[in-house]
Amino acid sequence: MTACPERTLSLHALADGELDGIHSAAVEAHLRGCPACAGEFDRIVAVRAVLSNDDLRHGIPVDLYSRIVALVDAEINLMSLNTGVSPSRPIWSWIGGGAVGALAASLALLIATPQVATPGLEDELIASHVRSLLAAHLVDVKTSNRHIVKPWFNGRIDFAPPVVDLATSGFPLVGGRLDYIGGKVIPALVYQHRLHRMNLFIRPAPDSAVLKARFDRRDGYGLMHWRMDGLDYWIVSDVEQVDFETFQTEFVHHSRQ
Amino acid sequence: MARFGRAFKPRQVFSRPETEARDTASGPVDRERFDRLMLPHMGAAFSFARYLTRDTGAAEDIVQEAFLRSFRAIQSCRGNEKAWLFAIVRNCFHDWVRTHGHFRMQSELIDAQDHSDGPEAILERQDIAHSVRETVEALPEPFRETIVLRELEEMTYREIADLTHVPIGTVMSRLARARQMLALLILARDEGGCSV
């Protein structure tokens, strides 16, 4: 007693309400005269009944909603920074008086900073770090939640930097920022260590070599560079060298988990 | 006048030109549309991603990315918001598979181990919804995706065909095959239950 194979799809379509009146009537007429197909139809209806339970949907994790809303808020903030200044409003009123002072101060500092012979990448990184402390541009997306920072970078840069929160090691994640360095947009992760800020800059490396962490001090700021997994990393901060080393070890450890 | 007429044309699809007419900044309007059209479907989008990945963390990442993409592109959403959002979730899922190939294989391996104690063992568990969910998750693709879209999200054949880029006939045969597999697993349990 097997159902008519050529009718199978029609039985499913009838159960799904996908048949028009004429075809429904034809299939129903067939069911009355064919016990095998009628049995098959009952099985389809029974399977559908089991699957109609609302509990079969997976419930959303508690904080997913607020995380997505926070992501969109950050997106809007960035849009208003990029495009929100209307021509009729002078830029100074938009930034606000305090920021102008900070900007002037940072310019003064940059001018006063003794320049090494060629203003290379390291100098740009330090300048970016200094700017981030003075102007109101420490972070574009302010959150310690790496699940917000990481997707926030998506679509803005063409690689995915590892984002980890190191709060348990004494380096809580403050947020993320985009900066324009060496002619490229590169992401910076901002961490805090006691009262000090640390900027971690990441960008694709020119080759896949692995370079051990190397510490350097310039203009009173510490700078540490290493290369692994095809990415170049720089930390800039005014913390002690031992803190650089701890941070670097912890970051490598957590980003590889 | 002509300029404004053109500027607001996309919004007339939703026939609310009066409330939005004075709002010239794109940000707040985008946000309002996004909140109204997209946020109500978050539960369905997460459930869909969870069935596709069979992994909660991956589903979260995919849904976050999908909602961000949907916000950026919200102006191009014309009717049937849920199907539009699901298409984005699906793209994010396929991107995720591309970048997490090894992870995917790991989860398949774990699933294979789960199967070794048999569907009967799974179905013996107390919570019926839970065991049915596991049974659906055990279905191979593309049957799993098709049955989830039809039974849980109640999409029409046409919507599923458009979303998964296959002819309606393929949707129908996948659905029939999925139900055939589920009937073996689910109804077998019911018959076992009758004897108690």
Side-chain angles (χ1 to χ4, degrees):
Chain A
M1 195 174 76
T2 49
C4 314
E6 76 281 6
R7 300 262 180 192
T8 308
L9 296 186
S10 300
L11 299 181
H12 286 274
L14 179 67
D16 284 320
E18 292 269 355
L19 293 184
D20 61 25
I22 290 180
H23 288 97
S24 296
V27 176
E28 281 165 4
H30 174 76
L31 287 178
R32 280 192 290 275
C34 178
C37 281
E40 176 66 17
F41 184 74
D42 288 345
R43 288 207 316 158
I44 293 169
V45 172
V47 171
R48 294 208 67 215
V50 173
L51 294 176
S52 68
N53 187 342
D54 270 350
D55 293 342
L56 290 191
R57 267 195 183 176
H58 290 275
I60 74 168
V62 276
D63 60 339
L64 184 63
Y65 190 92
S66 54
R67 260 191 278 150
I68 285 175
V69 169
L71 263 180
V72 170
D73 286 343
E75 180 80 9
I76 289 172
N77 284 341
L78 194 86
M79 281 165 52
S80 64
L81 279 178
N82 289 342
T83 61
V85 190
S86 73
S88 59
R89 276 162 76 202
I91 193 164
W92 303 120
S93 74
W94 170 68
I95 296 180
V100 176
L103 194 66
S106 78
L107 287 175
L109 190 100
L110 288 178
I111 292 163
T113 302
Q115 291 287 325
V116 286
T118 48
L121 182 66
E122 281 83 0
D123 299 297
E124 281 202 58
L125 294 170
I126 291 174
S128 170
H129 174 76
V130 173
R131 271 201 310 277
S132 78
L133 301 181
L134 292 175
H137 187 227
L138 179 62
V139 288
D140 288 324
V141 51
K142 183 176 191 299
T143 170
S144 62
N145 191 330
R146 66 190 181 88
H147 293 299
I148 292 177
V149 177
K150 196 172 168 61
W152 185 83
F153 284 129
N154 276 351
R156 297 194 162 88
I157 45 178
D158 52 7
F159 67 102
V163 180
V164 294
D165 183 20
L166 301 172
T168 51
S169 315
F171 303 93
L173 178 65
V174 178
R177 185 179 78 247
L178 289 178
D179 242 313
Y180 194 71
I181 291 170
K184 286 221 156 72
V185 175
I186 76 167
L189 298 176
V190 183
Y191 290 88
Q192 178 136 10
H193 184 58
R194 299 197 195 94
L195 292 175
H196 304 272
R197 293 301 166 107
M198 306 175 75
N199 273 292
L200 173 62
F201 300 94
I202 307 173
R203 76 170 190 187
D207 56 59
S208 58
V210 174
L211 298 181
K212 278 194 195 164
R214 192 174 57 84
F215 182 79
D216 195 10
R217 222 171 241 295
R218 263 177 207 240
D219 308 335
Y221 290 100
L223 189 84
M224 182 177 264
H225 170 247
W226 77 96
R227 178 179 296 173
M228 66 174 203
D229 300 335
L231 294 174
D232 267 322
Y233 296 84
W234 290 269
I235 321 171
V236 183
S237 183
D238 56 352
V239 298
E240 299 295 322
Q241 182 173 352
V242 61
D243 295 324
F244 273 87
E245 285 156 3
T246 309
F247 177 89
Q248 197 265 345
T249 309
E250 291 294 319
F251 185 88
V252 169
H253 176 70
H254 284 87
S255 64
R256 284 193 153 166
Q257 274 182 349
Chain B
M1 283 303 280
R3 191 169 64 89
F4 278 100
R6 195 158 60 239
F8 288 110
K9 201 169 181 183
R11 290 172 201 156
Q12 282 168 358
V13 172
F14 292 85
S15 63
R16 305 186 58 203
E18 296 210 355
T19 51
E20 293 176 0
R22 257 174 286 147
D23 214 338
T24 49
S26 64
V29 176
D30 289 347
R31 181 54 187 270
E32 189 273 336
R33 274 194 77 179
F34 172 80
D35 287 355
R36 179 165 47 89
L37 301 182
M38 292 297 118
L39 291 184
H41 301 298
M42 193 182 296
F46 176 78
S47 179
F48 178 48
R50 177 67 180 72
Y51 272 110
L52 288 178
T53 58
R54 301 186 278 201
D55 182 273
T56 301
E60 287 184 47
D61 288 350
I62 286 167
V63 170
Q64 279 188 184
E65 173 65 16
F67 271 83
L68 203 54
R69 285 191 200 177
S70 79
F71 174 71
R72 289 175 188 157
I74 192 71
Q75 291 297 342
S76 65
C77 176
R78 303 269 185 283
N80 205 344
E81 304 85 31
K82 185 174 161 184
W84 185 78
L85 175 67
F86 269 48
I88 298 177
V89 171
R90 220 170 163 271
N91 287 341
C92 292
F93 166 66
H94 288 126
D95 289 350
W96 177 82
V97 169
R98 267 194 291 278
T99 50
H100 297 77
H102 68 286
F103 180 84
R104 179 95 185 135
M105 271 153 46
Q106 275 173 7
S107 74
E108 296 282 5
L109 275 179
I110 292 163
D111 285 337
Q113 283 164 3
D114 282 354
H115 292 176
S116 66
D117 64 17
E120 294 84 0
I122 295 173
L123 289 170
E124 271 169 18
R125 295 178 197 170
Q126 285 288 314
D127 184 351
I128 291 178
H130 182 72
S131 65
V132 173
R133 224 189 270 168
E134 286 197 340
T135 313
V136 173
E137 280 183 7
L139 289 179
E141 289 293 16
F143 309 104
R144 186 177 356 128
E145 177 179 49
T146 311
I147 198 85
V148 166
L149 291 174
R150 174 63 207 135
E151 302 289 14
L152 275 68
E153 302 308 332
E154 297 175 338
M155 287 192 178
T156 64
Y157 290 1
R158 179 80 260 165
E159 287 173 326
I160 300 171
D162 290 345
L163 184 60
T164 56
H165 309 297
V166 294
I168 281 195
T170 307
V171 172
M172 293 173 74
S173 54
R174 283 177 182 174
L175 206 48
R177 181 89 181 90
R179 283 179 178 147
Q180 194 184 12
M181 290 187 266
L182 287 174
L184 284 173
L185 300 170
I186 295 172
L187 301 183
R189 176 199 58 197
D190 280 2
E191 279 154 23
C194 285
S195 64
V196 177

